[in-house]
Amino acid sequence: VGRLRSPRWMASGNPPSKKLKMAAMADAAATASMGTHSGTFHCDEALGIWMLRQLPEWKEAALVRSRDHEVLKDCTIVIDVDGEYDHATKRYDHHQRGFFETFDGEAGVATDAESATGEFKTKLSACGLVYKHYGREVLQAVAEVNGWGSLEGPRLEAVYYKMYKEMIEGLDAIDNGIEVADEKRYSEGTGLSKRVARMNPRWCDPKEGKEGENAKFELASTATGTEFTEQLDMLINSWLAARDFVEAALKVRLEVDASGEVIQFPSGGMPWKDHLYTLEKEMGVETLVKFVLYTDQGGMWRIQAVTQEGTAFTNRLSLPEAWRGLRNAELCAAVGIEGCTFVHNAGFIGGHETLEGAKTMVQKALELA
C-alpha cells in the first residue's frame, strides 16, 4: 500500500479555496477604484471616501472624481454621483428623483419624512449611505488600528447607532438642505460641513486645475476622518466605557434601595442616561429607576432625577415641591434630617453631605410621590 501524502496546501495551512480567495481579494484591492463627483466638494462624499479607505477592499483604491458616466461606469464603487442607488452594484447616490432612504427605514418604501419607517426620518446623503452599509466594519477597523479593542455584539451595535445619531445624521441633514429647526435663531459656522466647504478653491484664487482641486479634496477628506476618529474615541473610551458601570449599578440597585428605583455611581460626570434607558429594556427592568446618586468634585452626594426618555427636562419623578429652592437649615427642617445642602428650584437635583443622608432623602421623596 502506497504511503498517503498530505496535500501541498496543508504545509501553508490554507486550503486551495482559501488561498484563491485571499489572492482574489488582493488582486481586487489592487485594481479597485472609487468614484465621486468632481467640482465643488462637500462633507458627505469627503467623509464617505475616507470611511471606505479604512476597509481593505478600498484602502489602496484609486480615486476618480468626475461627473461623466462613461468615466465612472467602470469604478468598483461610486458615491454621491451618477444618479443611482444600488447596494448590489455598489452605487450610492442620493440626488435622483424618488430617493428617500433613511438609516433604519425599510428600503424603497418612503417618499418623504412622514412616510419613513423606523426611528430616523432624515434622508441619507453619501456618507449616510456608506455608513449604513459599511459602518460596522469601518468602526471595527478604526477601533483596531487605534488600539481601542474589539467591537462586537451589543457594544458594536450601541456605537453604530450612537455614531449615526450624534454625527452622521446631522451631516446627512445638512447636505440634503434640512434645517435643524423650523425657525432659525442664529447661524453656526464652525461645524464640520462648514469647515469642509471652506477648503474648496475660492472663486478669486488662481486656477489650480484638476490636480489642485483633487489635492484640496484629499485634505478635506482627511479632516472629516479626523473628526470621525475623535468622535469614535469619545464613544468607545468614555461613552461606551460608562455602559459597564451603569449595568453594574442596575444589577445591585436593590442593595441601594429596596424599591429598586435608585442606583448609585462612585462619582459624577459619567454619561449614563442613554445606557440606563437601553439597559432597562435589555434587562427587563419593570420598575424604572427614578433617582441616581453620585458624588461631585467637592465630595457632596448628589441626588439626580432621571428624565423621561426622549425629553430634556421632564423627570420620571422630581424631588418634592416643598423642598425646591431650599438650602441648608431650611431644607433640613423641611426634609426632617440634618446634613441636607440644597434642592434645585426645578426639583431635578439635590444634595446631602453623606451617602446615607442622600439615601434617606430619596426614600422620603419616593414615599411622598
Side-chain angles (χ1 to χ4, degrees):
V1 179
R3 185 173 59 183
L4 295 175
R5 295 183 178 181
S6 300
R8 291 182 180 179
W9 61 263
M10 289 186 70
S12 66
N14 294 322
S17 59
K18 186 172 182 179
K19 291 184 68 176
L20 289 172
K21 183 178 180 180
M22 291 170 65
M25 287 178 64
D27 291 342
T31 59
S33 58
M34 301 181 292
T36 191
H37 64 80
S38 55
T40 300
F41 50 78
H42 310 98
C43 187
D44 70 322
E45 83 269 14
L47 178 57
I49 291 296
W50 183 88
M51 286 192 287
L52 291 173
R53 281 174 167 161
Q54 308 315 300
L55 304 179
E57 300 96 311
W58 298 292
K59 189 175 183 65
E60 304 297 333
L63 176 62
V64 177
R65 297 184 71 238
S66 175
R67 296 183 184 273
D68 186 342
H69 173 73
E70 293 301 311
V71 173
L72 295 168
K73 67 180 183 180
D74 293 327
C75 289
T76 312
I77 187 169
V78 176
I79 71 169
D80 209 38
V81 69
D82 221 23
E84 183 181 7
Y85 168 46
D86 184 352
H87 181 50
T89 58
K90 296 182 174 57
R91 278 355 187 215
Y92 303 99
D93 197 8
H94 66 108
H95 298 97
Q96 57 272 26
R97 186 181 181 89
F99 176 92
F100 202 98
E101 299 299 324
T102 60
F103 181 60
D104 61 346
E106 187 178 350
V109 171
T111 56
D112 53 27
E114 286 70 31
S115 60
T117 61
E119 175 185 347
F120 296 96
K121 310 299 180 184
T122 302
K123 177 181 172 181
L124 297 176
S125 67
C127 63
L129 282 167
V130 170
Y131 187 79
K132 177 173 182 173
H133 291 288
Y134 304 100
R136 292 179 178 87
E137 292 87 346
V138 172
L139 294 171
Q140 290 174 316
V142 176
E144 182 178 355
V145 77
N146 283 283
W148 296 335
S150 62
L151 280 176
E152 303 289 346
R155 296 170 69 83
L156 173 60
E157 291 306 308
V159 174
Y160 177 64
Y161 170 89
K162 186 71 169 177
M163 178 67 90
Y164 183 77
K165 188 173 184 178
E166 295 294 319
M167 179 180 179
I168 308 297
E169 184 180 20
L171 303 180
D172 283 341
I174 290 169
D175 194 79
N176 283 304
I178 304 169
E179 297 288 356
V180 71
D182 293 334
E183 183 178 346
K184 185 177 180 180
R185 293 188 175 184
Y186 60 88
S187 294
E188 201 288 313
T190 63
L192 184 59
S193 294
K194 289 282 190 180
R195 300 204 311 270
V196 167
R198 289 196 294 269
M199 299 177 81
N200 275 282
R202 299 171 184 173
W203 68 271
C204 53
D205 288 342
K207 300 300 181 184
E208 296 181 312
K210 191 171 184 179
E211 285 189 9
E213 179 186 296
N214 288 345
K216 288 184 180 296
F217 175 85
E218 293 294 347
L219 291 174
S221 185
T222 298
T224 64
T226 298
E227 182 75 19
F228 185 97
T229 303
E230 290 175 354
Q231 292 268 359
L232 185 57
D233 181 9
M234 178 63 73
L235 287 180
I236 292 176
N237 297 312
S238 176
W239 179 81
L240 188 60
R243 178 186 169 97
D244 296 333
F245 285 91
V246 178
E247 184 175 3
L250 271 173
K251 288 179 177 178
V252 298
R253 65 190 183 281
L254 294 177
E255 297 175 18
V256 177
D257 188 85
S259 68
E261 298 178 81
V262 186
I263 59 174
Q264 177 186 329
F265 299 137
S267 62
M270 183 171 64
W272 53 267
K273 289 185 179 179
D274 288 340
H275 298 305
L276 177 61
Y277 302 140
T278 300
L279 288 166
E280 283 178 328
K281 296 171 187 172
E282 290 183 5
M283 296 170 64
V285 175
E286 295 182 1
T287 303
L288 301 181
V289 174
K290 306 301 189 302
F291 295 103
V292 174
L293 306 180
Y294 57 85
T295 56
D296 64 15
Q297 292 180 335
M300 181 196 306
W301 277 93
R302 296 294 187 105
I303 306 162
Q304 184 170 342
V306 178
T307 54
Q308 294 181 15
E309 186 173 3
T311 71
F313 304 108
T314 304
N315 300 322
R316 289 174 174 176
L317 179 64
S318 299
L319 291 168
E321 173 72 33
W323 302 355
R324 298 177 196 175
L326 301 181
R327 303 182 67 86
N328 303 324
E330 285 187 308
L331 180 58
C332 290
V335 177
I337 63 171
E338 294 300 314
C340 302
T341 55
F342 82 100
V343 169
H344 193 278
N345 280 324
F348 76 94
I349 196 166
H352 196 280
E353 294 174 357
T354 69
L355 173 58
E356 291 308 314
K359 288 181 178 180
T360 300
M361 288 180 69
V362 166
Q363 289 164 0
K364 287 179 176 289
L366 293 171
E367 290 169 3
L368 293 169

